[in-house]
Amino acid sequence: MLIKNGNVIIFENDDVKVKKLDIRINGDTIEEIEEKLDEKTGEKVIDATDKVVMPGLINTHAHIAMSIFRGTFEGCDLYTWLNEKIWPMEAKLTEEQVYDATMLSILEMLSTGTTCVNDHYFFSKQIRKALEESKMRAVITRVLMDNDGKEASENRINEFVDLYESRDRNNDLITYTVSPHGLYTCSGEVLTKSRELALKYNLPIHVHFLESINEIESIKELHGDTGANVLKKYFDGLHIILAHGVKISDEDIKVLKTLDCGIAHCPISNLRLGCKIADTTKYLDEGLNVALGTDGQGSGNNLDMFEAMKIAGLIQGGIHENEKRINAKDVIKMATINGAKLLGLENKTGSIEVGKKADIIIVDISDELDNVKMLPNVDIVSNLVYNADGKNVDTTIVNGQVLMENRNVKVIDTNKVVKK
Ligand SMILES: [Zn+2]
């Protein structure tokens, strides 16, 4: 397949550049990137004139079956939302509902330019089934916790082991994490078990971390230490994906810098649950990796990573007054290459480079009424972050396969999923 005449987003050193380039994809891999490539006979050609060709967006923290809770429970804080609203509802979910809700989310992701998602949920075989059918890239798990007793906790551990052991070893698109829910919902016993599983299977840890102010106190009560020290105690030497990280102190940063970890920043969910604003400018300055996520739709409203990019960029102005803060280029990297690094997938995805898997989206920026908020288009990167939205994504390619073209999702029966 040949993608011709596009404005291609390329990362050079630490910079983000836009260049007119042609891209040849052979099977699942990016084979050539040149200023001009000649069409080979029989090759599929996508004309990307007046379009942006960029790495597929990577959503580093989500609960994709939570599309079923979209628009519910407005105005709660995190603890009320979880304890009184979400957990009682989740206890009643069926496997079929999780499958259907996951399919709806996959449609949402593919049609808004997300090519890889890091999920954190349960009934995970249903989630995996939907992901396998849709051919998108994903990292999945079975969440562990024991704040409701030992038996429930052991069931969860068994379900995780069963999920992982029953994986399709030939499926390169789906990988796994070990995921204790949070340091405030997991005793030392579950965290130790998580460490053992991560070591046994060589998997990263994916955990909610310092999302809200209450969590600092809860972790102290349960573990007698700060969140960062608890992480160090149980997960030192492992690769750790920290969801949220809103309440990270300067002392915590010193500890986090000694660990192999990074942050999945979920700005919209944080704002909706009144968790305030993660200082991603500071975290990046300190050398921590910061990527982007939406969280589930119950708190994050939707999975449109363009919205997440816009808010992630803008809210830094809410905590940094007249100071240097992250810019549109930083945000583009957070949504792509930083996400790949956070998920341990940087050799496969996250940028348009020869040898990487072809996870690519094409965004329409042509001079049309639909794109009027991007005109005159003098700065493509700034427009992608602040003025584009998921609906501008025209084509979504994962692992060299075109999953959406001209806004038609090919791998899913769109009408059936929407109606269901
Ligand atoms: Zn979450």
Side-chain angles (χ1 to χ4, degrees):
M1 176 161 59
L2 186 61
I3 304 172
K4 281 192 76 72
N5 307 320
N7 301 282
V8 182
I9 302 286
I10 295 282
F11 304 132
E12 275 182 3
N13 303 316
D14 268 341
D15 202 7
V16 179
K17 297 207 165 143
V18 185
K19 293 186 172 179
K20 286 266 184 202
L21 293 166
D22 293 349
I23 299 165
R24 173 165 284 123
I25 298 165
N26 187 357
D28 57 10
T29 304
I30 299 171
E31 189 180 66
E32 282 180 284
I33 305 171
E34 297 291 341
E35 277 180 19
K36 179 143 180 51
L37 287 169
D38 290 326
E39 199 178 320
K40 290 181 183 169
T41 352
E43 193 168 52
K44 177 181 172 68
V45 178
I46 296 179
D47 182 8
T49 306
D50 294 333
K51 292 174 182 172
V52 172
V53 181
M54 66 181 289
L57 303 174
I58 299 178
N59 186 343
T60 56
H61 179 70
H63 315 276
I64 53 177
M66 290 185 87
S67 57
I68 203 162
F69 299 130
R70 198 195 316 265
T72 60
F73 314 132
E74 182 66 26
C76 295
D77 65 276
L78 175 69
Y79 276 22
T80 311
W81 183 75
L82 280 174
N83 289 307
E84 292 174 27
K85 310 290 185 188
I86 290 298
W87 284 338
M89 292 285 283
E90 284 183 338
K92 295 178 187 169
L93 279 180
T94 65
E95 293 196 1
E96 190 193 358
Q97 287 170 333
V98 166
Y99 174 85
D100 290 338
T102 300
M103 266 301 182
L104 185 65
S105 288
I106 291 170
L107 203 52
E108 195 181 337
M109 290 187 283
L110 292 180
S111 66
T112 56
T114 293
T115 53
C116 178
V117 64
N118 183 28
D119 192 55
H120 198 263
Y121 217 58
F122 57 95
F123 286 147
S124 307
K125 283 189 175 176
Q126 298 299 315
I127 294 167
R128 180 167 67 190
K129 182 169 170 254
L131 286 162
E132 282 174 349
E133 286 167 12
S134 68
K135 314 272 189 249
M136 79 173 279
R137 197 179 296 285
V139 184
I140 64 169
T141 191
R142 196 296 171 216
V143 173
L144 310 177
M145 57 201 256
D146 66 347
N147 60 346
D148 56 351
K150 205 170 165 60
E151 196 187 331
S153 170
E154 277 168 9
N155 288 339
R156 292 185 184 107
I157 291 167
N158 292 336
E159 282 175 28
F160 169 75
V161 171
D162 179 42
L163 175 78
Y164 187 70
E165 293 286 356
S166 65
R167 72 196 182 280
D168 175 359
R169 284 157 210 256
N170 297 318
N171 187 333
D172 186 45
L173 285 170
I174 296 182
T175 53
Y176 297 79
T177 61
V178 177
S179 298
H181 173 269
L183 303 180
Y184 64 107
T185 48
C186 293
S187 67
E189 211 172 313
V190 171
L191 299 180
T192 302
K193 187 71 197 170
S194 300
R195 179 183 179 84
E196 286 168 12
L197 289 166
L199 285 169
K200 180 178 176 189
Y201 295 132
N202 190 25
L203 298 176
I205 295 284
H206 176 195
V207 61
H208 288 108
F209 183 70
L210 300 183
E211 179 176 359
S212 75
I213 187 89
N214 304 342
E215 215 177 302
I216 299 173
E217 215 34 57
S218 307
I219 293 171
K220 192 146 255 171
E221 269 172 39
L222 188 59
H223 299 282
D225 213 334
T226 64
N229 285 336
V230 176
L231 275 188
K232 176 105 180 154
K233 179 177 173 188
Y234 292 99
F235 301 141
D236 197 7
L238 298 172
H239 182 68
I240 318 163
I241 302 157
L242 301 171
H244 302 294
V246 182
K247 295 291 170 184
I248 295 172
S249 67
D250 290 347
E251 278 305 304
D252 293 332
I253 289 177
K254 286 183 198 159
V255 179
L256 296 184
K257 283 165 81 168
T258 70
L259 297 172
D260 176 13
C261 69
I263 295 150
H265 172 48
C266 304
I268 296 178
S269 171
N270 297 154
L271 293 176
R272 183 146 185 269
L273 291 177
C275 298
K276 298 190 87 173
I277 299 170
D279 193 346
T280 54
T281 301
K282 187 195 320 184
Y283 303 162
L284 284 167
D285 274 351
E286 289 283 350
L288 295 173
N289 182 24
V290 181
L292 205 55
T294 59
D295 214 353
Q297 295 98 325
S299 56
N301 301 324
N302 63 59
L303 305 179
D304 184 345
M305 286 283 287
F306 282 91
E307 273 192 21
M309 284 199 284
K310 176 175 179 170
I311 302 294
L314 289 177
I315 57 170
Q316 290 303 298
I319 51 174
H320 289 279
E321 194 172 21
N322 299 330
E323 296 167 47
K324 190 176 164 289
R325 54 185 188 269
I326 60 170
N327 60 33
K329 288 181 175 179
D330 296 315
V331 175
I332 288 278
K333 287 194 283 184
M334 285 163 68
T336 56
I337 187 65
N338 292 10
K341 285 178 187 160
L342 185 60
L343 303 185
L345 297 173
E346 69 269 33
N347 293 330
K348 281 186 196 167
T349 188
S351 58
I352 297 183
E353 280 179 73
V354 170
K356 280 204 180 184
K357 301 295 181 191
D359 292 357
I360 292 173
I361 60 172
I362 302 177
V363 185
D364 189 354
I365 57 162
S366 55
D367 300 346
E368 304 279 347
L369 185 59
D370 280 353
N371 304 327
V372 71
K373 21 177 225 187
M374 291 191 253
L375 304 179
N377 200 338
V378 292
D379 184 336
I380 285 177
V381 171
S382 170
N383 257 333
L384 286 172
V385 171
Y386 296 115
N387 295 322
D389 63 51
K391 286 201 291 281
N392 294 108
V393 177
D394 170 276
T395 296
T396 302
I397 300 168
V398 177
N399 216 34
Q401 191 172 349
V402 181
L403 304 187
M404 179 176 81
E405 190 167 18
N406 304 321
R407 291 210 57 74
N408 290 313
V409 178
K410 296 174 159 198
V411 273
I412 297 174
D413 186 339
T414 305
N415 289 335
K416 191 175 138 197
V417 172
V418 168
K419 202 159 185 178
K420 188 76 184 281

